[in-house]
Amino acid sequence: MGVRIGIDTGGTFTDLIGLDESTGELVLAKTPSTPSEPVNGMVDVLRASGVELGTTQFLILGTTVATNALLQRRGADVIFLTTEGFEDVPYIQRMNRRYHYSLEWTKPRPLVKHGDCVGVRERLTESGQIRIPLGHEALEAAAREVERRLDGRDPRRAAIAVCLLFSYINPEHELRLGEFLKQRFPAVPVSLSHQVAPIWREYERGSTVIADAYIKPTLDTYLGHTRARLAGLGLSAPWAVMKSNGGSAVPEAAEAQPIQLLLSGLSGGVIGGAYFGQRAGARDLITLDMGGTSCDVGVIRNGQIGYSTSFEIEWGLPVAVPVVDLTTIGAGGGSVAWIDKGGFLRVGPDSAGAEPGPACYGAGARDATVTDANLVLGRLNADYFLGGKMRLDPAAAARVIRALGDRLGTDAARAAQSVVDVTNENMANAVRVLSIDRGLDARDFTLVAFGGAGPLHAAALARRMGMARVVVPPHPGLGSAFGALIADLQVNKVHSKNFRSDSVDATTVQAHFARLVEEAVAELRQEGFHGTAEIERTVSMRYAGQNYEQDIRAEADPVTDAALRQVFTAFERRHEQFYGYSISGEIIELIRFNVTAVGRTPKPELPRLASRAPAIPVAIRPVSFPETGFAPTPVYRRETLSPGQELRGPAVIEEADSTTLLHPGDGLAVDAFGIITLTLGT
């Protein structure tokens, strides 16, 4: 038995939570991130934890390196090779527009330059038959074009993306071209679309493989440095990286397909939120992970985390890989407040991050941030930030908030409250988008709030959404690291194939599923799982002629004729729920077969709180609320709260990694495991 460690490297702080499996005790640490060299932040938090790496059983790492490389456009110089005649697909994109009536809106800029899109003479038919063979002359011509574009560039910052027409049906040409390029340019990584995104939509497949190539050198460097630093610290145990689908990947698998790590640092939060929400007795949950840089919102329905195969880097730039269903916005403690050309107050998406951080960090920042506003409102304790390890500068916060107020024509307190209000409204919009787009009513859900800033804003956000309950986990500032710690191993496999309900048979469907299950389980074995995998199988289906599909579960194994008819019936029910109608007797197309294999990992048992007398306030300080303005407010330390204790707002509950704000009239209850539930007043 040893220590299992989960680490989450965020934009502002790096969090660690470890579980000693012999004693059941938790190890906690939180240190500032180092955006210029993310590996240093991971090393700092490991050292701060005091864990002997020689006793470590397993380490799993969530990282935002891939996310930041894409969002900040700091990736590789990509050379895109595609079937001759389709070089413009990354720029043509889709017909739909973000703003239908705007004369100024332009399509998003792809991750590849137009001059780096190269056509290759070859062609497959829609059934995968070879129409134009990929000959030696075509290979040499492609190599010359690549060589010409590499001339004068740093090969360490270059990558090749290959997306040939219909390669998801027959990968022969892509494999041959990929092998040829690897031999000719061994220092340049190559991404193949049928391996990264074996789907039938050419633009989505091309966009995904370009994104994979774009971040490959960055991830290779990061994982290489991580491997070296962990070895230097004496770690001999296996380690893995969180994937976007909520599973994990060993470093070798992550290096092969880095696009799988796109939401690595975000998926752990949804997993942790689901765990604690269910421990609090709720199964329909909205998770709110508000850190220093961003806010991530996820949905759990009936205890099940939602998944999606469509994520957009920005509007119109899709990435077709399995991801935990969430949305993220630039709303964190470090989000910068600014005034637009019309004189309106805005907050985010720009962030002060960890370097220099908010003005109250005392590192010379001049912009007002959300953390500065909360400090001015009395909601944060300048002497107890990170449990007292980092002292905030109230004078610096007051100075930048006062300057913002002068520009708005108001005093510092009102300016600070306005910054908080705008931030809460931004987060409320994110919740609305995620819930309404899925036909859900947020009022039916419980909010699970974590991240360093989540519990501070949770009650106000929930009230805006008409939600009645908020759950705050223990150590909320380490929520994403906890999610990484308990994450299961998970592998997704996809096979695109166009069948029709009037001609396909159960034997064919079963054969496709059997192959995918075999591949998924084999990959789980490679990632170190040796138990019995849980398998979920779905078929992406649509009525003939439609352009979008619904994923329908295939419960029976093996698939029989009767079971296949049940799948068709389930599709028609889903179609009616989603669109309001179904077409009885219409031909249904089976577009894609999907298999998810899950290897469950042991979950920690939460320690029960020791029985003790109800906690008493450690201080009374003026805190500003929209309902009352500044009012004397009792301040409690969370570690002193007793099981079963109840409070009535206003109150502030401080802990080393976060602060919970209880508004006037709201109730707070602590359960036997230290989970806090807020019940909102009218």
Side-chain angles (χ1 to χ4, degrees):
M1 301 291 281
V3 180
R4 291 176 60 88
I5 295 175
I7 296 177
D8 176 62
T9 305
T12 306
F13 290 100
T14 297
D15 307 322
L16 178 149
I17 188 163
L19 172 69
D20 189 324
E21 296 194 329
S22 59
T23 65
E25 294 181 356
L26 294 178
V27 180
L28 313 171
K30 191 180 188 78
T31 59
S33 294
T34 53
S36 57
E37 185 53 70
V39 176
N40 289 344
M42 179 199 68
V43 173
D44 291 344
V45 81
L46 279 168
R47 287 174 173 160
S49 72
V51 174
E52 293 288 339
L53 289 188
T55 67
T56 301
Q57 182 184 18
F58 189 75
L59 184 150
I60 184 164
L61 179 64
T63 175
T64 56
V65 169
T67 313
N68 293 340
L70 285 170
L71 296 180
Q72 297 171 7
R73 299 283 181 143
R74 295 179 180 175
D77 293 328
V78 177
I79 301 170
F80 179 58
L81 274 64
T82 188
T83 303
E84 193 174 64
F86 290 81
E87 299 92 332
D88 292 330
V89 165
Y91 280 81
I92 295 173
Q93 300 177 12
R94 291 294 178 202
M95 293 177 61
N96 51 336
R97 299 167 55 86
R98 185 174 189 180
Y99 305 109
H100 290 290
Y101 304 107
S102 172
L103 299 178
E104 299 178 354
W105 180 78
T106 57
K107 291 182 178 180
R109 179 167 55 91
L111 299 172
V112 60
K113 296 178 181 177
H114 196 271
D116 288 335
C117 298
V118 178
V120 180
R121 182 161 177 74
E122 65 83 42
R123 187 67 181 263
L124 300 178
T125 68
E126 70 279 3
S127 60
Q129 301 300 310
I130 296 176
R131 174 172 292 175
I132 300 176
L134 178 62
H136 182 72
E137 289 184 4
L139 292 172
E140 287 291 343
R144 287 193 297 271
E145 292 296 326
V146 172
E147 197 168 40
R148 184 169 66 84
R149 287 161 175 81
L150 287 175
D151 186 33
R153 292 179 176 175
D154 184 351
R156 295 170 300 180
R157 300 303 307 165
I160 300 171
V162 179
C163 181
L164 302 182
L165 202 63
F166 300 118
S167 61
Y168 63 90
I169 299 175
N170 179 1
E172 180 181 339
H173 281 184
E174 254 192 23
L175 288 169
R176 186 179 179 193
L177 179 56
E179 188 61 34
F180 181 83
L181 293 169
K182 289 175 185 177
Q183 292 177 2
R184 183 66 67 90
F185 309 102
V188 182
V190 178
S191 298
L192 305 179
S193 72
H194 79 275
Q195 295 174 347
V196 174
I199 59 173
W200 68 278
R201 291 186 174 94
E202 293 303 315
Y203 172 55
E204 282 78 359
R205 184 157 54 92
S207 177
T208 304
V209 75
I210 289 170
D212 185 79
Y214 188 77
I215 62 176
K216 219 164 199 172
T218 301
L219 261 295
D220 285 350
T221 300
Y222 171 74
L223 292 172
H225 288 177
T226 300
R227 187 183 284 111
R229 295 294 294 275
L230 289 175
L233 291 171
L235 180 73
S236 57
W239 61 281
V241 189
M242 283 289 293
K243 294 193 295 189
S244 303
N245 66 0
S248 62
V250 294
E252 294 75 18
E255 288 168 329
Q257 292 190 24
I259 197 63
Q260 299 287 344
L261 308 186
L262 176 59
L263 300 184
S264 167
L266 312 183
S267 58
V270 180
I271 295 169
Y275 177 89
F276 285 109
Q278 292 178 51
R279 291 301 181 278
R283 294 180 60 79
D284 292 323
L285 308 165
I286 291 176
T287 63
L288 175 77
D289 182 1
M290 184 182 180
T293 304
S294 64
C295 170
D296 313 313
V297 179
V299 173
I300 291 95
R301 284 178 274 184
N302 194 29
Q304 299 296 313
I305 294 175
Y307 295 92
S308 173
T309 54
S310 59
F311 181 83
E312 293 191 340
I313 303 166
E314 58 181 89
W315 196 94
L317 285 184
V319 174
V321 293
V323 299
V324 170
D325 191 13
L326 57 80
T327 186
T328 183
I329 63 170
S335 294
V336 173
W338 54 286
I339 299 173
D340 66 16
K341 294 179 180 178
F344 292 97
L345 175 65
R346 303 292 185 92
V347 181
D350 289 343
S351 172
E355 300 170 350
C360 60
Y361 284 14
R366 298 181 179 180
D367 293 317
T369 68
V370 177
T371 297
D372 296 314
N374 279 313
L375 185 58
V376 167
L377 294 173
R379 299 176 176 187
L380 292 175
N381 184 345
D383 296 318
Y384 197 67
F385 198 71
L386 294 185
K389 295 178 182 178
M390 180 177 177
R391 191 183 186 284
L392 302 181
D393 184 348
R399 184 172 59 252
V400 295
I401 293 293
R402 191 180 304 114
L404 180 69
D406 290 343
R407 296 181 62 194
L408 292 170
T410 188
D411 60 33
R414 290 184 179 180
Q417 185 62 56
S418 297
V419 170
V420 170
D421 288 344
V422 171
T423 303
N424 291 340
E425 185 59 30
N426 290 343
M427 293 189 291
N429 283 333
V431 174
R432 292 184 188 108
V433 167
L434 196 68
S435 57
I436 293 173
D437 279 2
R438 288 149 184 77
L440 306 175
D441 188 338
R443 293 173 295 183
D444 299 330
F445 287 71
T446 295
L447 184 69
V448 185
F450 50 97
L456 197 58
H457 291 255
L461 171 62
R463 185 168 280 107
R464 283 174 182 265
M465 299 304 302
M467 304 169 76
R469 292 180 69 211
V470 176
V471 171
V472 181
H475 312 295
L478 308 177
S480 291
F482 182 83
L485 176 71
I486 67 171
D488 297 315
L489 297 170
Q490 184 168 315
V491 172
N492 300 88
K493 290 294 179 181
V494 174
H495 179 68
S496 294
K497 194 76 176 179
N498 194 338
F499 292 118
R500 291 163 53 100
S501 58
D502 59 348
S503 58
V504 71
D505 58 77
T507 302
T508 301
V509 172
Q510 175 61 25
H512 281 77
F513 274 135
R515 180 175 64 81
L516 292 176
V517 169
E518 183 179 356
E519 292 175 359
V521 172
E523 194 167 317
L524 274 184
R525 299 283 182 258
Q526 293 173 1
E527 295 185 1
F529 180 75
H530 301 292
T532 301
E534 297 179 12
I535 305 297
E536 179 180 289
R537 305 177 304 167
T538 64
V539 187
S540 301
M541 309 171 75
R542 67 186 186 187
Y543 283 125
Q546 287 184 326
N547 202 36
Y548 296 98
E549 306 85 41
Q550 297 289 330
D551 291 342
I552 306 300
R553 294 188 65 171
E555 303 282 0
D557 184 21
V559 178
T560 63
D561 290 334
L564 187 57
R565 288 194 295 272
Q566 290 177 355
V567 172
F568 292 144
T569 301
F571 164 77
E572 295 197 325
R573 285 199 301 268
R574 174 75 61 79
H575 194 281
E576 185 157 4
Q577 291 171 355
F578 200 83
Y579 294 107
Y581 72 96
S582 60
I583 311 174
S584 180
E586 180 60 58
I587 293 171
I588 299 170
E589 292 180 324
L590 291 71
I591 299 299
R592 192 168 60 245
F593 296 89
N594 317 286
V595 164
T596 298
V598 178
R600 299 295 180 192
T601 60
K603 305 297 184 286
E605 288 294 329
L606 294 178
R608 287 180 173 269
L609 293 184
S611 296
R612 50 180 172 248
I616 60 175
V618 296
I620 303 288
R621 73 167 181 257
V623 177
S624 180
F625 297 90
E627 303 92 330
T628 62
F630 279 96
T633 302
V635 179
Y636 296 83
R637 293 286 162 80
R638 183 166 182 176
E639 61 270 20
T640 67
L641 296 178
S642 63
Q645 183 167 0
E646 296 184 358
L647 300 175
R648 179 65 58 181
V652 172
I653 295 87
E654 297 177 344
E655 53 189 310
D657 52 81
S658 189
T659 300
T660 301
L661 187 67
L662 187 64
H663 286 248
D666 292 349
L668 178 151
V670 185
D671 75 4
F673 300 99
I675 298 174
I676 287 176
T677 298
L678 307 183
T679 304
L680 304 191
T682 56

